[in-house]
Structure formats: C-alpha cells, structure tokens
Amino acid sequence: MSRINGFVGRRHFLKIAGLTTLSIGSLTACNEIITNRSEIIIPETNPNPNPVSANEAQRRLVEGNRRFINQSRRYPNQSKRRLQSVSKTQYPYAAILGCADSRVPPELTFDQGLGDLFVVRVAGNIASDEAIGSLEYSTTALGTELIVVLGHERCGAVKAAIKNQPVPGKVGSIVDEIRPALPQIQQRTNDINDSNYEQNAIINNIQYQVERLQNNSAVLAKLIRAGRLNVVGAFYDLDTGKVNFI
C-alpha cells in the first residue's frame, strides 16, 4: 500500500472504500445512493492499530470542552515530538463536520492537538458530497469511529435559509442544503424573527445533516450497521463556549 505523508494512496483508498466497482460518473458524484448496499466493501478491521471507540471519543471531546470552558486547557499533543510523529501517519480519534464560522474552531473548543481530530468545515455544517467523501476517508482509511456534526448558535447560513431571499454567487447552494431542515411551522414574520425559531432551525439543521450522512453514504451506513461508527450532533453556544451533544 502506498502512503504519502500518512495518506493512503488513492487507488488503495478507493478499493477499501468499495468504490472501485463504481463508474467514473458515480465516483464524481461521490455519494449517490447505491441500490445494492451489500456491494460496498469496508475494511475487515479498523486500520488504526489502537482504535478509539465512539463512546471513548465522545468522552474525550466532552472533557476537552470542559477544560476549554473552565480556562484550564492543557494544549495536548502540540509538542515538536507530536508534530514529527503525526508527520508519518495519522489516526484521528474523532471526525468533526463543523461550520466554517471563525468563532467555532474545533481544535480549540475541544482542547485537542495535532492528529487528534479530522475536521471538515463548510458554512452551515452541511453534508455536501465533498464533506461526505472526506468523512468516508476518515472512517475507512484512518479508522475514526465517531463523527460529530457541530452546529452553533447564531449561524449565518441558517439565518440566510430562514430569510428565504436570493443570495449572491454560490452561497445559494449552501442555503439550499439547509432549507429542508427548517421547522415546519407557520412562517409568519414574527415567527421567523423569533430567537426560538432560529435556535430550533439550527438544531433541526444539525439533525438533518446527521441523517444525510447516514442516508447519503453507503460507506458510512455500512460502518454504522457493523457497529464501527457512530454519527451524532452537537450544538456550540457562542456565549459560553459549551458544546451540548444532542
């Protein structure tokens, strides 16, 4: 197997992800729903020589966030020795699908270091094809057993979806991936401007993106059924720094 700076070679990754039997067109689409999910092949064993269970991974994240809130951060795994160690290979114990918002950097909010988290960030923490493909890599090639969809308070992307107005450029493609998650309530003006409505919409979007990861990726779905992956949602409070798992 070929490795470059700790990354599994492309051909081997496609093989273990079960994508070698797909057409180039399907590969480009990356995560279209596959009718016969039994054809998807996942590694027989976790590629991480010291795998971290989903429960243990979530415990570490909770503990790290507690340190962050209490201003008792340890700044773990940030030494030169750690830098040199992970330059050869990586086995992050958790993957985060988070929003690109500058106020919500997962490595800081969970008090983690180099090689601890596999972070995918995009506005609105949406489960795009690119995000799903990245998370498939993290789980099949690196052995991550926990994926956290991390949304946050006062999310601008969710606000744009609530307003339901034209947006410039390609921002609209992000908003379109959030709109189905909006609460199904009568959207009167006073409802839309209500802070409770906005918070409910953010929570709904987190849960919706969790479901998209499970339903739009045959790879992740098979790992979940095999008991080797858990996908959960979490909400970050901008005012306190606290992460609540939902």
Side-chain angles (χ1 to χ4, degrees), residues 126-138:
I126 62 170
S128 65
D129 285 346
E130 293 79 8
I132 292 174
S134 298
L135 294 170
E136 287 179 345
Y137 177 81
S138 174

Side-chain angles (χ1 to χ4, degrees), residues 77-89 114:
N77 294 328
Q78 297 180 30
S79 65
K80 185 175 182 179
R81 182 177 180 180
R82 176 68 169 183
L83 174 69
Q84 294 171 338
S85 173
V86 296
S87 71
K88 298 178 178 63
T89 188
L114 297 168

Side-chain angles (χ1 to χ4, degrees), residues 81-146:
R81 182 177 180 180
R82 176 68 169 183
L83 174 69
Q84 294 171 338
S85 173
V86 296
S87 71
K88 298 178 178 63
T89 188
Q90 60 167 329
Y91 294 110
Y93 73 82
I96 311 291
L97 172 56
C99 183
D101 193 294
S102 64
R103 300 166 293 180
V104 195
E107 290 88 349
L108 296 183
T109 58
F110 290 114
D111 190 29
Q112 300 301 309
L114 297 168
D116 290 331
L117 304 179
F118 189 93
V119 179
V120 180
R121 299 181 68 182
V122 61
N125 41 273
I126 62 170
S128 65
D129 285 346
E130 293 79 8
I132 292 174
S134 298
L135 294 170
E136 287 179 345
Y137 177 81
S138 174
T139 53
T140 58
L142 307 180
T144 306
E145 296 192 3
L146 176 68

